[in-house]
Amino acid sequence: MKIARMTICALMLAAFSAPAAYADLVLPWLEYRTGPYSPSGIPTADGFEDYLTLINERDGGVGGELIRVVKCETGYNTAKGVECYEQTKGEGALVYQPLSTGITYQLIPKVTADQIPLHSMGYGRTAAADGTVFEYVFNFPANYWDGASIAVNHILDLNGGNIEGKKISLVYHNSAYGKEPIRTLEKLAEKHGYTLSLYPVDAPGQEQKSQWLDIRREQPDYVLLWGWGVMNAAAVTEAANIRFPMENFIGVWWSGSENDVLPVGDRAHGYKALALHNVGSDFPLFDDLRKHVIDTGKFAGDGTSVGSVLYNRGMYGALLAVEAIRTAQEIHGVSDITPQMMRDGMEALVITEEKMAELGLPNFGPSFAVSCENHGGPGTGWVSQWDAHNQTWSIISDLITPDKEIIDGLIAEASAQYAEEQNIARRCQ
Amino acid sequence: MFYREVGDFKTTYAADSQTFPIAFDRVRYYFVLIVAVLLVPFLIDDYWSNAVFVPLLVWSVAAIGLNILTGYCGQISLGTGGFMAVGAYACYKLSTEFPDLNIVFCILISGAITAAVGMLFGLPSLRIKGFYLAVATLAAQFFLVWLFNKVPWFYNYSASGQITMPERTIFGLAVTGPNVEPWAQYLICLAFVFGLAWAARNLTRGSLGRQWMAIRDMDIAAEIIGVDPLRAKLSAFAVSSFYVGVAGALYFSVYLGAVEVTEAFGINQSFLVLFMIIIGGLGSIFGSLVGAAFMVLLPIVLRNILTRGLNWDTALATHVEFMVVGCLIMFFLIAEPHGLAQLWNIAKQKLRLWPFPH
């Protein structure tokens, strides 16, 4: 009885207090394995955790320091994301990867005040690519505006460089995430002469019947998709229902995973999506991963998502974090780095083809170098296509470079506006 | 033993009609106030402030607001999230258009703007009641969220449709923005909660509150004894929306700092506030506070016990949390359909007689 009461007291204490810090390298992961976004959240989280487990098991951590992943469930909800951030930041968090544009927006001012780096890989606030304004925020190797431009460039390629008068529709999650590409697409429409029509889908995105009825009436030449979670599968299903040609339906890299097309079956054959990195598990790294993590049963989740697109995404995020830690350790000559040192490491991060090959992922992602001014990387990407018969994604294009002229102008404009609103002095002068 | 009137003599009318007529209750109330004002600010850190106290206080204001309308005046509203959005967007527009305007006035004016919008959407209440009114306010919820998504003027034409609160200060001390001290953030919310709860308590005890309650209990009878339903209902909508608007402004400016209307002020928030007042107790200020505490703190406590205390997997803990919170809501409503406030009243009655029940 007494013990039971003491346990309850201890639990009550534990219920609110944040635990003491350990001397590990702490990488927090704001995951979502529940709710309508879990189809996207689970494989990404698995990939992130498994790669770090591999680093700990195979190499004994980075520079002799073990990596500890601190997990917190957000359910893709911004208020919970803030709670998670406040709860985990005291443990010595090196870099945050919230995997949610809404939470990223929320955390940008907070991490800047707390001096903890934030890495939104291929999502988040696009203006953060301007390192002169956003000191602690990184979004390399590519951002939404790059994505929008890559998609348009792909359409240009398909049409021999002329899309004058073509109709392009954007089906998007009606949130900060889905609205991000609109301005870029409008700018590109001015330049290339296509007409753009917008179809917002309210969260969580299962209800899209009316939008697709409109699309059927309007008969656009191409449809772009900016969806996440259950919205993706619903969009591909609706597109199949109105018999929209799948090869003209292009999703952003967040709308191109196995979970988005498998529920639709054969009718999803030919659906295209942008790719931030290479697809599949045909890389030397996966042998190590199988040996040290999968076969030993130390994998995260249920182990079924290994090698899927989003699993690779999570893995790539973890890989970039680990390489940034390594860079920071080299710069500062200590192994137990602080978040500020981590920031220096991220800003000096150089990823080359040789390095990727050395890590067991040749030809997996782009080569790039982060600098004080450029936190956004090269912005390049591929186009991948779904083969419903073999149930595989495959890369069908060369590395596509976005229209940097337009995007850099937009980024400069947006970051200047943010700097003025928040009264931020420019760095790197 | 506790809660005895014995020996507590009232010699003036003012003393006789005070909010806490029993000496023990009064002492307890002052004790809570002293702890909240003088002790808590020195103890809280970012986590306690951002994850526990500030959301608790903000939701308390919203719950008091809805309780005035639903609990005291009997008008069901499902538009709380939409009205909170009005408060938040008003606060954003005011603070970006007039950067020199003090944040306190900014929040109060946001409340006033919300009151005007609330009265507009309260007009149907003069003709329709009950479930039909609920549907009319539901329309307000969807219309307002759609409006703030659709018209870029409201979010200053930002690319993402998000609104971000710039830093604002009181006496040179930041209360919004990223550089805010946890205690400053907490104290400004506490000041609003205290002031608004005090005002609400006294409003509901006065002539206006009695009119609301008369309308709630039977509107035809109320009209016969001289209560003007137009005035009573619209004033309830105005006061309630003012509170909800202030809550929305605080939620955006002090608590989150950046919001997106669909997620932050969706229909879920309307239901959340409604659950707070149903669980806390309709027609009770104390009930609003307890209900808010129940709905805000319980999930946090559960989550922390399961993931940090017992080291459960976070996904499993979240699923269990949903089930446990749901079960507890049912348990409390079965145990006492009139909410936690009524439970507290019963406990008080028992304590008055204790330890000699006969």
Side-chain angles (χ1 to χ4, degrees), chain B residues 27-211:
Chain B
V27 171
R28 186 184 49 84
Y29 166 69
Y30 287 123
F31 176 73
V32 170
L33 267 191
I34 287 170
V35 169
V37 177
L38 295 181
L39 201 60
V40 175
F42 293 101
L43 297 178
I44 56 173
D45 56 12
D46 272 346
Y47 173 67
W48 278 89
S49 155
N50 260 321
V52 180
F53 279 112
V54 169
L56 171 65
L57 293 171
V58 171
W59 286 118
S60 299
V61 177
I64 294 173
L66 186 64
N67 220 336
I68 288 174
L69 186 65
T70 306
Y72 284 97
C73 197
Q75 312 296 309
I76 300 174
S77 167
L78 287 176
T80 319
F83 295 135
M84 280 177 81
V86 174
Y89 276 78
C91 183
Y92 174 69
K93 283 308 280 187
L94 285 168
S95 56
T96 48
E97 297 286 321
F98 311 101
D100 295 329
L101 186 67
N102 189 299
I103 179 75
V104 174
F105 294 109
C106 180
I107 290 172
L108 289 175
I109 297 170
S110 310
I113 292 172
T114 317
V117 176
M119 272 166 79
L120 190 71
F121 283 100
L123 284 175
S125 70
L126 303 173
R127 293 294 295 269
I128 52 180
K129 288 183 230 174
F131 290 127
Y132 303 97
L133 182 63
V135 173
T137 50
L138 194 64
Q141 163 75 45
F142 285 114
F143 170 75
L144 289 169
V145 167
W146 172 83
L147 181 75
F148 293 128
N149 248 325
K150 188 74 188 166
V151 183
W153 179 79
F154 286 114
Y155 48 87
N156 284 0
Y157 305 93
S158 81
S160 59
Q162 284 236 345
I163 53 174
T164 310
M165 187 69 195
E167 181 168 295
R168 290 291 173 263
T169 55
I170 299 177
F171 306 124
L173 189 78
V175 290
T176 67
N179 298 312
V180 57
E181 294 290 335
W183 56 269
Q185 201 181 12
Y186 163 77
L187 277 182
I188 182 161
C189 289
L190 185 71
F192 270 104
V193 171
F194 175 75
L196 291 174
W198 182 81
R201 172 71 191 157
N202 286 301
L203 260 183
T204 52
R205 294 197 309 157
S207 133
L208 195 58
R210 279 156 211 271
Q211 289 181 27

Side-chain angles (χ1 to χ4, degrees), chain A residues 115 168 317 321:
Chain A
Q115 305 195 322
I168 297 180

Side-chain angles (χ1 to χ4, degrees), chain A residues 11-12 14-19 31 33-35 70-73 76-80 82-83 86-89 91 101-102 105-106 109-110 112-114 125 145 174-177 179-180 182-183 202-203 417-418 421-422, chain B residues 46-48 50-52 92 96 148-149 155-162 164-167 177-179 185 251 255-260 262-264 297 300-301 303-305 308-310 313-316 318-319 321-322:
Chain A
L11 283 178
M12 290 305 282
F16 279 114
S17 53
E31 63 182 358
R33 291 176 180 274
T34 63
V70 176
K71 294 188 281 180
C72 189
E73 170 76 31
Y76 200 65
N77 175 295
T78 22
K80 273 195 189 162
V82 172
E83 191 204 317
E86 298 293 355
Q87 195 172 51
T88 51
K89 77 174 182 195
E91 302 200 26
T101 297
Y105 265 84
Q106 204 71 242
K110 289 183 196 287
T112 311
D114 294 331
R125 188 171 203 137
W145 299 355
N174 200 0
S175 68
Y177 158 52
K179 285 175 186 165
E180 275 274 350
I182 294 176
R183 197 170 284 176
D202 278 332
Q417 192 193 343
Y418 184 82
E421 252 178 46
Q422 303 289 323
Chain B
D46 272 346
Y47 173 67
W48 278 89
N50 260 321
V52 180
Y92 174 69
T96 48
F148 293 128
N149 248 325
Y155 48 87
N156 284 0
Y157 305 93
S158 81
S160 59
Q162 284 236 345
T164 310
M165 187 69 195
E167 181 168 295
N179 298 312
Q185 201 181 12
Y251 186 79
Y255 174 36
L256 286 178
V259 297
E260 174 182 60
T262 327
E263 192 197 7
L297 299 187
I300 300 180
V301 173
R303 188 161 37 209
N304 279 317
I305 289 180
R308 301 194 157 240
L310 302 175
D313 179 57
T314 48
L316 179 64
T318 309
H319 287 132
E321 175 202 315
F322 283 138

Side-chain angles (χ1 to χ4, degrees), chain A residues 35-102:
Chain A
Y37 300 93
S38 56
S40 302
I42 291 172
T44 323
D46 288 351
F48 185 83
E49 285 176 46
D50 282 357
Y51 185 78
L52 296 176
T53 312
L54 173 70
I55 294 293
N56 280 344
E57 293 289 319
R58 189 190 59 187
D59 310 342
V62 190
E65 297 281 335
L66 283 179
I67 295 172
R68 188 160 60 93
V69 181
V70 176
K71 294 188 281 180
C72 189
E73 170 76 31
T74 67
Y76 200 65
N77 175 295
T78 22
K80 273 195 189 162
V82 172
E83 191 204 317
C84 279
Y85 169 75
E86 298 293 355
Q87 195 172 51
T88 51
K89 77 174 182 195
E91 302 200 26
L94 290 180
V95 57
Y96 277 88
Q97 299 200 17
L99 198 67
S100 150
T101 297

